[in-house]
C-alpha cells in the first residue's frame, strides 16, 4: 500500500518539478518555429471564462478517486494474502 502511495507522490512531485521546464521548452519551440501559429479557441475561451480551473479540479478529483481506490484495493489484497498465509501455516 505504501509503495503505491510513494510512487504516486513521486510522480506528482516529478510532474510539478518538470512542468516549468517543459513550458519554457514549448515557448522556445514556438519562438523558433517558422510555421504559422494556430490559435486554439477552446483553451483561450476556457482560460478567459475561468473554467479551466473547473477542468483541473475535475481531473484532480478523478485522479484522487483512482488513488484512493488503489489504496483500498491494496489493503483488501493484503488482508486476503495474510488470511491465505495464516490458513496455509495452520494446516
Amino acid at each position: 500500500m505504501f509503495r503505491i502511495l510513494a510512487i504516486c507522490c513521486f510522480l506528482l512531485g516529478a510532474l510539478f518539478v518538470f512542468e516549468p521546464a517543459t513550458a519554457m521548452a514549448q515557448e522556445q519551440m514556438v519562438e523558433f518555429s517558422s510555421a504559422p501559429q494556430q490559435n486554439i479557441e477552446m483553451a483561450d475561451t476556457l482560460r478567459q471564462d475561468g473554467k479551466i480551473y473547473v477542468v483541473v479540479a475535475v481531473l484532480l478529483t478523478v485522479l484522487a478517486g483512482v488513488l484512493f481506490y488503489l489504496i483500498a484495493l491494496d489493503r483488501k489484497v493484503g488482508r486476503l494474502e495474510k488470511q491465505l498465509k495464516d490458513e496455509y501455516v495452520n494446516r
Side-chain angles (χ1 to χ4, degrees):
M1 172 184 75
F2 292 109
R3 277 185 271 156
I4 293 173
L5 185 60
I7 290 171
C8 290
C9 289
F10 174 75
L11 291 176
L12 285 175
L15 176 70
F16 289 122
V17 168
F18 293 119
E19 191 272 331
T22 57
M24 285 194 311
Q26 288 176 354
E27 289 174 6
Q28 289 174 354
M29 288 177 67
V30 170
E31 290 176 8
F32 296 119
S33 174
S34 62
Q37 294 184 359
Q38 299 175 354
N39 291 332
I40 302 172
E41 295 178 20
M42 181 181 68
D44 292 336
T45 305
L46 286 175
R47 261 188 239 113
Q48 287 174 354
D49 296 342
K51 293 181 182 176
I52 194 75
Y53 300 111
V54 175
V55 173
V56 171
V58 168
L59 287 174
L60 289 176
T61 304
V62 169
L63 288 175
V66 169
L67 178 67
F68 288 127
Y69 175 73
L70 286 175
I71 290 171
L73 191 62
D74 186 45
R75 286 182 181 176
K76 288 179 183 180
V77 169
R79 281 188 218 129
L80 286 172
E81 287 175 347
K82 185 177 179 181
Q83 182 182 4
L84 285 173
K85 183 180 175 183
D86 289 342
E87 288 177 5
Y88 182 74
V89 170
N90 292 333
R91 270 195 198 178

